[in-house]
Amino acid sequence: MGGVELGDKASSYVTQQLANWFKNIPADLYGFPADVQKGFNRILAQISTQIYNDYNAAYKGLRAGATVAASIVTKDYTINSSVGDSRIYTIRDNQMTLINRDESAVWPPSRDPKDMTPAEIDDLRFRVNNNQITNCMGFKIGPNNIQTSIIPN
């Protein structure tokens, strides 16, 4: 995550831990998307807590953090989870649609991306404080603090 001292370490740790999680997930679990999503969000929360404990707990401020936007694509559905200001889009019938929202100071908390035009979403980049995120890996988060969706393919 740009702008924090140990963002590269946090990003690397997130990537390594997620790779380990994927290696150990039973193949038959993929038939149960809600269970996969719960497990995925649980591991994201554990990783975030570990980054917090190792780098941020004793420090006044954020030293290490990462954002995550991840999709697990199967034959029947796509599971999406995100933390921070990284975006996830879908493309269907040549139409690109944003399916999560930035967790940042510029995103209107009450606005669902499905209710915004592409121009409104794009304009968010130019607001004051557009680089201040409100959630990231490295904060103490739980599985309920992770944006999620399951979309049929």
Side-chain angles (χ1 to χ4, degrees):
M1 189 169 79
V4 294
E5 176 183 355
L6 301 171
D8 58 335
K9 289 191 183 303
S11 295
S12 178
Y13 182 74
V14 170
T15 303
Q16 291 168 354
Q17 294 303 308
L18 289 179
N20 290 337
W21 183 80
F22 277 109
K23 287 178 192 174
N24 295 311
I25 187 172
D28 59 347
L29 188 63
Y30 285 105
F32 302 94
D35 291 340
V36 173
Q37 189 167 54
K38 284 179 193 170
F40 191 59
N41 290 350
R42 192 170 36 253
I43 193 65
L44 286 172
Q46 290 170 3
I47 294 167
S48 186
T49 299
Q50 191 63 51
I51 294 168
Y52 174 82
N53 290 338
D54 289 352
Y55 297 107
N56 297 327
Y59 182 76
K60 293 182 181 181
L62 185 67
R63 291 181 66 212
T67 63
V68 173
S71 296
I72 302 170
V73 180
T74 72
K75 184 179 112 190
D76 299 319
Y77 55 86
T78 301
I79 297 170
N80 304 290
S81 294
S82 66
V83 178
D85 64 349
S86 297
R87 296 179 178 181
I88 300 174
Y89 293 87
T90 60
I91 299 175
R92 290 214 172 130
D93 302 323
N94 292 322
Q95 180 72 25
M96 186 166 69
T97 305
L98 179 65
I99 59 170
N100 68 333
R101 64 176 190 82
D102 289 8
E103 293 180 300
S104 67
V106 301
W107 193 274
S110 61
R111 298 286 306 267
D112 187 316
K114 295 176 193 97
D115 299 329
M116 298 175 76
T117 67
E120 287 176 308
I121 292 169
D122 195 48
D123 285 347
L124 294 174
R125 295 179 298 138
F126 302 107
R127 288 199 178 170
V128 174
N129 300 325
N130 69 351
N131 64 340
Q132 294 179 359
I133 62 172
T134 57
N135 196 15
C136 74
M137 302 293 287
F139 287 167
K140 285 181 97 173
I141 63 171
N144 295 333
N145 300 102
I146 298 166
Q147 292 188 72
T148 61
S149 64
I150 300 174
I151 300 172
N153 291 340

